[in-house]
């Protein structure tokens, strides 16, 4: 925990040294208080005193999770200020303020339920909170303050509902990241739906907002419904499929139509088949998807009746990382907008299939349970299987969060040109190589962890080679001699992978993106 905290502090101070404004000072204050509060959360988890059931075999992860959204907002603000885009500069300030307020809320919650009351931590939290609120008071307009408070309100209610319904699926830090992100997306969708101006906004952004909110609302609806009826019967399954179609065609499609001012299905078909390159990419991705399904079926066929408890090895699970890298790299080089939409659709399909598995919806629910049980690891301790969804999110978030409006000619200068590749580098290359080489050749373990020195070093080396290959094949990337910063960023994130107990598929790409954008 101490080494993980030291690495996070290094990232915070690196961003602070580059930005050096009131918000970066607030980020430093937030990191210091989150470091102390993290130990209170860890103690609550060990003693079973937390309000909800969180994922075991991991620390609270409050510090690394608390800094992601604020730092993303700070670096986005700086990039858009440099490009002269005032609207998105203000948006970055709102993102940073929202992240700080959500992190403070979790800190206050931990301090409030800790007995006896930790006086020193209370004082630190009070000082950090005062600094952040004072900065927000002098930086945000009234409408922006209301927006931040709306996200906080949605986060509180969403946390109470989902953490109760999904015990042991998240650590406090993962809950902050996932539920905070969903709350922000929901608030953005409501805001944009109430202020629709024809021709304003990119349709692909609206697809992301509606898809995320739609699948979350769908899950909440069926969770409440199946409290009163058995989800495993044919009648319930027919009702599930019928209501999914009704909600999709009767709510989500009209909602999208209002936002993009055209028929969503026709727009999507026209978008997907607009160029010959897109056709080639879609055929190639279909082949890779079939290959991934083939790996699942083959591994399950190998599982004999005598070894029902057999689990897939680390190397077997990393096959999917290689497939995902092969999926994303051509999309990033040839057509990022198509990759954006394809990742949104894939996320919606993944979550829908998880609903089918979780609720045992006929005819595929029980089959999915059997097929996916082979690939479970210690992080899938709750009722949901989320690791494959986290892998998709880790690869997609750098593409979705890339500030296109603040990037002249579609790319950022210097190391920022690698931002869309953050998921490929951190998870697809770094995490995969570290796991494969660490588990097969590693002998020297990092103190206090199961991760090896050899795995981390090969991960750093592999990511440097990957950057060199990106420079060769992607002509839009121009690093402008920022090689030292890239090496430092890759090394920090690889060390964080060795020491964190959080979901690395989600955390590592976001930290690499922050460093590259800074």
């Amino acid at each position: 925990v101490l080494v993980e905290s030291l690495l996070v502090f290094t990232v915070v101070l690196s961003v602070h040294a580059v930005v050096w404004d009131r918000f970066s000072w607030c980020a430093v204050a937030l990191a210091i208080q989150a470091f102390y509060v993290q130990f209170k959360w860890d103690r609550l988890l060990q003693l079973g005193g937390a309000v909800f059931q969180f994922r075991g075999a991991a620390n609270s992860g409050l510090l690394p999770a608390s800094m992601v959204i604020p730092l993303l907002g700070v670096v986005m603000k700086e990039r858009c200020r440099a490009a002269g885009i005032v609207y998105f500069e203000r948006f970055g300030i709102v993102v940073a303020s929202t992240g700080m307020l959500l992190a403070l809320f979790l800190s206050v919650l931990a301090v409030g339920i800790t007995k006896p009351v930790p006086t020193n931590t209370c004082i630190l939290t009070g000082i950090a909170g005062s600094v952040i609120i004072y900065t927000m008071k002098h930086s945000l307009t009234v409408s922006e303050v209301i927006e931040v408070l709306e996200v906080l309100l949605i986060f509180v209610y969403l946390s109470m509902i989902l953490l109760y319904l999904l015990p042991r699926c998240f650590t406090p830090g993962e809950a902050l990241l996932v539920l905070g992100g969903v709350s922000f997306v929901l608030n953005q969708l409501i805001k944009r739906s109430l202020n629709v101006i024809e021709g304003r906004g990119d349709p692909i952004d609206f697809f992301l907002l509606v898809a995320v909110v739609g699948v979350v609302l769908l899950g909440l609806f069926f969770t409440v419904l199946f409290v009163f009826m058995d989800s495993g019967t044919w009648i319930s399954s027919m009702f599930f499929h019928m209501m999914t179609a009704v909600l999709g065609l009767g709510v989500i499609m009209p909602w999208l139509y209002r936002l993009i001012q055209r028929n969503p299905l026709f727009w999507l078909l026209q978008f997907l088949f607009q160029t010959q390159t897109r056709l080639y990419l879609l055929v190639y991705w279909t082949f890779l998807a079939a290959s991934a399904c083939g790996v699942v079926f083959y591994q399950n066929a190998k599982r004999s009746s005598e070894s029902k408890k057999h689990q897939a090895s680390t190397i077997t699970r990393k096959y999917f990382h290689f497939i995902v890298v092969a999926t994303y790299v051509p999309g990033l080089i040839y057509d990022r907008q198509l990759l954006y939409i394809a990742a949104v659709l894939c996320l919606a399909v993944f979550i829908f299939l998880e609903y089918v598995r979780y609720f045992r919806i006929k005819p595929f629910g029980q089959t999915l349970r059997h097929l996916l049980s082979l690939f479970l690891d210690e992080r899938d301790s709750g009722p949901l299987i989320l690791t494959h969804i986290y892998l998709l999110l880790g690869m997609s978030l750098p593409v979705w969060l890339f500030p296109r409006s603040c990037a002249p000619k579609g790319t950022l200068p210097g190391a920022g040109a690698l931002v869309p590749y953050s998921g490929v580098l951190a998870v697809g290359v770094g995490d995969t190589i570290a796991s494969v080489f660490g588990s097969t050749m590693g002998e020297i373990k990092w103190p206090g962890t199961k991760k090896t020195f050899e795995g981390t070093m090969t991960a750093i080396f592999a990511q440097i080679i990957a950057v060199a290959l990106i420079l060769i094949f992607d002509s839009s990337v121009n690093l402008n001699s920022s090689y030292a910063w890239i090496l430092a960023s890759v090394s920090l994130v690889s060390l964080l992978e060795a020491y964190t107990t959080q979901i690395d598929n989600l955390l590592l790409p976001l930290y690499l993106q922050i460093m590259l954008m800074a």
Side-chain angles (χ1 to χ4, degrees), residues 463-510:
Q463 288 175 80
I464 297 303
I465 293 175
V467 170
L469 291 173
I470 290 168
L471 279 171
I472 293 170
F473 291 103
D474 191 345
S475 58
S476 66
V477 175
N478 181 11
L479 300 182
N480 294 336
S481 303
S482 51
Y483 302 108
W485 184 268
I486 293 169
L487 178 60
S489 303
V490 164
S491 301
L492 272 174
V493 171
S494 297
L495 285 169
L496 186 61
E497 187 274 335
Y499 276 97
T500 189
T501 56
Q502 306 304 296
I503 298 291
D504 48 10
N505 288 349
L506 187 62
L507 201 64
L508 302 183
L510 292 172

Side-chain angles (χ1 to χ4, degrees), residues 41 44-45 48-54 109-110 112-113 159-160 163-164:
W41 264 115
L44 286 169
L45 295 177
V51 179
F52 301 102
Q53 294 183 59
F54 291 101
L109 182 65
I113 59 179
S159 299
M160 287 193 296
L163 292 178
Y164 172 74

Side-chain angles (χ1 to χ4, degrees), residues 260-299:
I260 68 175
Q261 301 294 314
R262 66 192 86 169
N263 187 300
L265 287 176
F266 290 159
W267 179 88
L268 183 61
L269 289 173
Q270 182 186 5
F271 177 86
L272 292 177
F273 302 108
Q274 196 168 17
T275 65
Q276 197 169 22
T277 303
R278 291 184 177 177
L279 283 173
Y280 290 148
L281 282 172
L282 289 172
V283 170
Y284 171 66
W285 288 341
T286 303
F287 169 73
L288 288 178
S291 302
C293 294
V295 171
V296 173
F297 288 122
Y298 175 71
Q299 291 296 327

Side-chain angles (χ1 to χ4, degrees), residues 54-72:
F54 291 101
R55 183 166 67 85
N59 66 330
S60 64
L62 187 67
L63 173 59
S66 293
M67 302 316 302
V68 168
I69 301 176
L71 290 179
L72 272 175

Side-chain angles (χ1 to χ4, degrees), residues 18-186:
V18 173
V19 177
W20 200 269
D21 66 0
R22 64 178 75 178
F23 283 97
S24 64
W25 279 107
C26 288
V28 173
L30 180 69
I32 293 170
Q33 73 85 30
F35 173 73
Y36 281 91
V37 174
Q38 179 171 252
F39 291 101
K40 307 305 173 189
W41 264 115
D42 290 343
R43 186 164 174 268
L44 286 169
L45 295 177
Q46 290 167 4
L47 299 176
V51 179
F52 301 102
Q53 294 183 59
F54 291 101
R55 183 166 67 85
N59 66 330
S60 64
L62 187 67
L63 173 59
S66 293
M67 302 316 302
V68 168
I69 301 176
L71 290 179
L72 272 175
V74 168
V75 294
M76 185 185 297
K77 172 185 72 70
E78 278 302 296
R79 285 291 187 177
C80 294
R81 184 185 63 78
I85 312 295
V86 177
Y87 176 82
F88 284 100
E89 181 185 352
R90 300 301 306 175
F91 183 74
I93 291 173
V94 171
V95 171
S97 303
T98 302
M100 291 177 189
L101 204 61
L102 295 180
L104 276 176
F105 170 76
L106 265 193
S107 298
V108 170
L109 182 65
V111 170
I113 59 179
T114 300
K115 303 297 179 187
V117 176
T119 308
N120 294 338
T121 309
C122 280
I123 294 171
L124 265 176
T125 303
I127 293 172
S130 301
V131 169
I132 291 168
I133 291 171
Y134 178 81
T135 303
M136 289 171 59
K137 178 179 180 293
H138 288 84
S139 303
L140 301 180
T141 63
V142 174
S143 61
E144 289 169 345
V145 171
I146 292 171
E147 188 176 345
V148 170
L149 293 177
E150 286 169 351
V151 177
L152 178 62
L153 187 64
I154 295 170
F155 174 76
V156 171
Y157 281 105
L158 204 59
S159 299
M160 287 193 296
I161 295 169
L162 291 181
L163 292 178
Y164 172 74
L165 293 174
L166 303 173
R168 303 180 308 283
C169 283
F170 307 101
T171 63
E174 291 160 7
L176 172 62
L177 263 183
V178 175
L179 302 183
V182 172
S183 303
F184 193 86
V185 166
L186 178 56

Side-chain angles (χ1 to χ4, degrees), residues 296 300-301 303 308 357 364-375 385:
V296 173
N300 274 274
R303 180 167 52 175
K308 290 183 179 178
R357 187 205 67 83
F364 301 114
Q366 204 60 45
T367 304
L368 283 171
R369 285 195 166 211
H370 175 72
L371 290 174
L372 295 179
S373 63
L374 178 65
F375 300 94
I385 300 176

